[in-house]
Structure formats: structure tokens, C-alpha cells
Amino acid sequence: MLTRRSVLPGFGLTLGLTLTWVSILILLPLACLFLKSAELGWSGFFDAVTSGRTLHALSVSFGIAFAAALVNLVGGVIVVWALTRYDFPGRRLFDAIVDIPFALPTAVAGIALSTLFGAKGWLGAPLAALDIKVAFTPLGIFVAMIFIGIPFVVRTVQPVLADLEPELEEAASSLGARRWQVIARVILPSLTPAILTGFALAFARAVGEYGSVIFIAGNLPNVSEIAPLLIVIRLSEFRYADATAIAVVMLVAAFLIIFVINRIQRWAQTRGAARH
């Protein structure tokens, strides 16, 4: 009896290589992270992650990262709309500029932002005259996280909007739909999965950002100290288990948030497919 050949040749080999690759590069390091933090025991782990300094650092990282991702979501969609739907001088140049945070070393980005928003910087000086201080405050963290996160939203949403046929909007308008109805019922449902993906990527990048943030944050405990910096401090103090405990909390919290966002994205995709 002849066995039916698989449509995908070499499936067993490729699946085995994939699982091996993922296990070595991702699962094994994460397992070591959990094992190292387990050295503290439950009470030690609880004490390490519930100290006032740790909780404040975690709230700064996750809270500001979430707010920055929301700003990037709105701003990124506006940027995508301008780059995709309008033709203006320098459009390709602006399109390339969006990728600069991808390629720019994070330390360079941090130095540039701290110089720009410093007390004597081009933007820092006029803001200081209005009694608004950005550099070396939580507001500086917010600015840095927006800077490094905006490309994730733009590059995720841009190809989807580019593939969205303008004829659909014109047909809706010809049937009497107003502009806001076209946006709400034609454009946004098609873009929602990509928007949520961009939001999740921008949030994940901001939560783990270190280089660009420490230069502009001020790094004051219980004021502007981020969780990744606290992990580095614990490592410099040779408190490796404490550092991994904080890392485990960040990992689990970020995974849960991204998992929820992905479920919402999957729901949006299913709902969009049902409409079509």
C-alpha cells in the first residue's frame, strides 16, 4: 500500500531543526532564568520582587511603555496614512527617516535625546522656560520610548494600508457614507489586526529598552529608575538571583500582556473575515 506523500517535502527534518533551534536559542535561556531565580525560594523571590524600589521600577517600565505604545499607535497610523495616501515632495526621504530608530545604536539615541531635551537644548530650553522639565525625569523616559517604538507601528501598518484598495472607500462614499463612517467601517476594521501587532511590538520594545532610556531618565531610585537598569544594578552587586527574579516578573508580565493583545488581534481578524 502506497503512503501519501506530504505536500511539504522534508517536513520532519525542518520541524526537528526548528524545534531544536528554538529550544537552544529561546527556551533554554528562559529555563535557566527561572532556575536561577528559584535559588531564592518562594519567600526570597517574593521579597525580591515586592520591595518598594522594585515595584516602582516595574511600574515605571510597564506604565510608561504602555502609554508610549498608545501614543505610537495614534501617531504611527497618522504617519502611515500620510506616507501611503499622499504624494508630496520628500515623501521617500521621510519614509526612510522612520527607520532611523531601527538602525541607530540605543546609546547614540539616548545621548541625542538628552542633549536635545537638556536644560540648554534646542527643545529643553524653551520647555524649561514653561517650567516643563523633560531630561532626567519620567517624562524623558516617555519621550525615549516613543522614539524607539514608532517604527514598529509604521512598518507593521504601512503594507496593510498600501494593499487596501481606495476603490472600497470610494464605493462607500458613493453609497452615501460620510468620511468618519468610511474610516470606522471600512478602513479601521481592515487595519485593526496590524495596528494591534504594531502596538504589541512597540510596547515589548519599550519595556525592555535600556540604552536610550538611561541617558535621559536620570535613574533616580523610586523616581525615574526603570526595571532593566535595576536588573543591571543587582548584577553589579553580585545579587544574581535577585536580578533574575525581577527579569522573571518582567518576562511573565510582558508575555501575558502580549498574549492578550494577540488574542484580541486574532478576534479582530476572525471578525473581519466573517464580514467579508
Side-chain angles (χ1 to χ4, degrees), residues 145-169:
M145 288 183 175
I146 291 176
F147 176 81
I148 55 95
I150 187 74
F152 290 92
V153 178
V154 174
R155 291 308 178 218
T156 304
V157 179
Q158 189 174 20
V160 179
L161 182 59
D163 291 338
L164 187 63
E165 299 178 355
E167 289 78 6
L168 296 176
E169 304 167 38

Side-chain angles (χ1 to χ4, degrees), residues 170-218:
E170 296 173 359
S173 298
S174 65
L175 293 174
R178 296 182 180 181
R179 190 58 182 166
W180 67 268
Q181 291 177 318
V182 175
I183 294 175
R185 299 185 179 183
V186 177
I187 299 175
L188 282 182
S190 300
L191 296 182
T192 297
I195 290 175
L196 291 175
T197 299
F199 174 83
L201 292 175
F203 170 77
R205 171 65 191 275
V207 165
E209 181 60 19
Y210 176 78
S212 63
V213 173
I214 60 171
F215 285 94
I216 195 173

Side-chain angles (χ1 to χ4, degrees), residues 95-149:
D95 192 28
I97 289 175
V98 172
D99 290 330
I100 288 180
F102 276 144
L104 196 66
T106 56
V108 176
I111 293 173
L113 291 173
S114 59
T115 302
L116 180 64
F117 288 98
K120 297 182 180 179
W122 290 350
L123 294 180
L127 288 174
L130 299 174
D131 200 23
I132 300 175
K133 187 178 180 181
V134 177
F136 314 123
T137 67
L139 184 57
I141 302 175
F142 181 66
V143 171
M145 288 183 175
I146 291 176
F147 176 81
I148 55 95

Side-chain angles (χ1 to χ4, degrees), residues 35-104:
L35 290 175
K36 186 64 179 179
S37 64
E39 295 179 0
L40 294 171
W42 285 112
S43 60
F45 181 89
F46 184 80
D47 292 338
V49 301
T50 58
S51 66
R53 184 176 180 180
T54 300
L55 290 177
H56 190 276
L58 290 171
S59 65
V60 168
S61 290
F62 281 94
I64 297 181
F66 192 84
L70 286 176
V71 172
N72 281 330
L73 186 150
V74 177
V77 171
I78 295 174
V79 171
V80 168
W81 185 268
L83 293 176
T84 305
R85 292 303 174 86
Y86 302 117
D87 191 9
F88 54 90
R91 181 172 65 89
R92 292 186 177 181
L93 177 61
F94 282 105
D95 192 28
I97 289 175
V98 172
D99 290 330
I100 288 180
F102 276 144
L104 196 66

Side-chain angles (χ1 to χ4, degrees), residues 235-247:
L235 291 174
S236 66
E237 296 171 346
F238 302 103
R239 297 167 60 180
Y240 300 121
D242 288 359
T244 55
I246 300 173

